[in-house]
């Protein structure tokens, strides 16, 4: 499985499952990210595995106008957000399930990513889901565009602190595990 995560919202914007870990897997994932975000200039942080250092990857990413970013050897800070997602995915879903067919695996992954993007609250997003964060960012942009009010002035209005979000996060995570 290969995935691309939006570092602002925490949302998984593209993902591809394959039976092999190779360049086509990575290229399909990047193509899906570009198609899902037309007109956006991407900065792609990755680890130093062979797919991300290959000539094909460098050529295709450069052709698409994507800026590549890799940490030095032994300093994996750029890829930490993606590693965090993989950790959550394994702990909250993968280790608790047995898959009989490849199709079951793909379907289960799709369900988890939908849950992760739309229902799983995240502490760093002030207990919002990635989709809620994206929607509020778009709303903030719209307010600023229409009114000329700076984001600083609208933050209190748009990002209210809701009591009990951490409790809801735990309940939804437990509910996900019970349903799946």
């Amino acid at each position: 499985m290969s995935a691309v995560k939006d570092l602002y919202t925490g949302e998984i914007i593209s993902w591809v499952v394959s039976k092999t870990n190779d360049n086509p897997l990575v290229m399909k994932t990047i193509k899906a990210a570009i198609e899902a975000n037309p007109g956006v200039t991407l900065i792609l942080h990755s680890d130093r595995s062979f797919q991300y250092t290959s000539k094909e990857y460098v050529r295709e990413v450069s052709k698409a106008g994507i800026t590549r970013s890799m940490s030095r050897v032994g300093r994996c800070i750029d890829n930490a957000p993606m590693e965090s997602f993989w950790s959550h995915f394994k702990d909250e879903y993968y280790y608790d399930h047995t898959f009989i067919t490849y199709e079951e695996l793909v379907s289960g992954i799709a369900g988890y990513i939908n849950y992760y993007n739309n229902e799983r609250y995240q502490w760093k997003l002030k207990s919002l889901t990635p989709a809620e964060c994206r929607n509020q960012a778009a709303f903030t942009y719209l307010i600023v565009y229409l009114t000329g009010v700076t984001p600083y002035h609208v933050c209190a209005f748009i990002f209210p602190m809701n009591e009990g979000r951490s409790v809801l996060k735990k309940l939804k995570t437990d509910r996900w595990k019970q349903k799946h």
Side-chain angles (χ1 to χ4, degrees):
M1 180 174 165
S2 175
V4 175
K5 181 178 184 177
D6 182 326
L7 292 183
Y8 181 77
T9 66
E11 191 169 20
I12 300 300
I13 60 172
S14 72
W15 59 278
V16 175
V17 179
S18 175
K19 294 180 181 179
T20 58
N21 184 14
D22 54 12
N23 280 5
L25 170 66
V26 171
M27 301 317 291
K28 287 177 190 173
T29 310
I30 293 169
K31 184 177 179 182
I34 293 167
E35 289 172 359
N37 298 280
V40 173
T41 303
L42 299 174
I43 299 174
L44 193 61
H45 303 287
S46 69
D47 61 17
R48 293 183 163 271
S49 58
F50 73 93
Q51 300 96 329
Y52 303 107
T53 56
S54 71
K55 289 180 183 179
E56 176 189 11
Y57 173 81
V58 172
R59 182 181 58 249
E60 293 300 317
V61 167
S62 296
K63 189 167 63 174
I66 297 172
T67 302
R68 294 179 300 124
S69 173
M70 277 185 211
S71 296
R72 293 177 297 179
V73 174
R75 307 276 302 181
C76 58
I77 193 71
D78 281 349
N79 205 38
M82 202 65 232
E83 294 299 333
S84 174
F85 168 75
W86 295 126
S87 175
H88 290 297
F89 169 72
K90 291 173 187 174
D91 287 344
E92 295 173 2
Y93 181 71
Y94 186 76
Y95 292 143
D96 292 338
H97 292 80
T98 302
F99 306 98
I100 306 301
T101 66
Y102 179 75
E103 290 73 24
E104 284 180 13
L105 172 66
V106 174
S107 176
I109 291 170
Y112 179 79
I113 290 177
N114 181 59
Y115 159 78
Y116 185 87
N117 285 341
N118 297 296
E119 297 179 41
R120 186 180 185 281
Y121 299 112
Q122 297 188 19
W123 180 257
K124 75 174 192 113
L125 299 177
K126 298 181 181 179
S127 296
L128 297 173
T129 68
E132 289 172 335
C133 180
R134 177 180 27 86
N135 291 339
Q136 286 193 355
F139 186 65
T140 301
Y141 176 79
L142 182 62
I143 288 175
V144 171
Y145 180 77
L146 294 174
T147 67
V149 177
T150 62
Y152 176 78
H153 295 115
V154 296
C155 282
F157 171 68
I158 294 177
F159 297 105
M161 289 301 294
N162 294 332
E163 300 291 338
R165 282 282 181 129
S166 60
V167 173
L168 287 175
K169 174 184 171 185
K170 171 123 179 66
L171 289 173
K172 284 198 171 190
T173 301
D174 292 344
R175 196 174 326 134
W176 167 262
K177 287 183 177 182
Q178 289 170 359
K179 287 194 297 189
H180 301 88

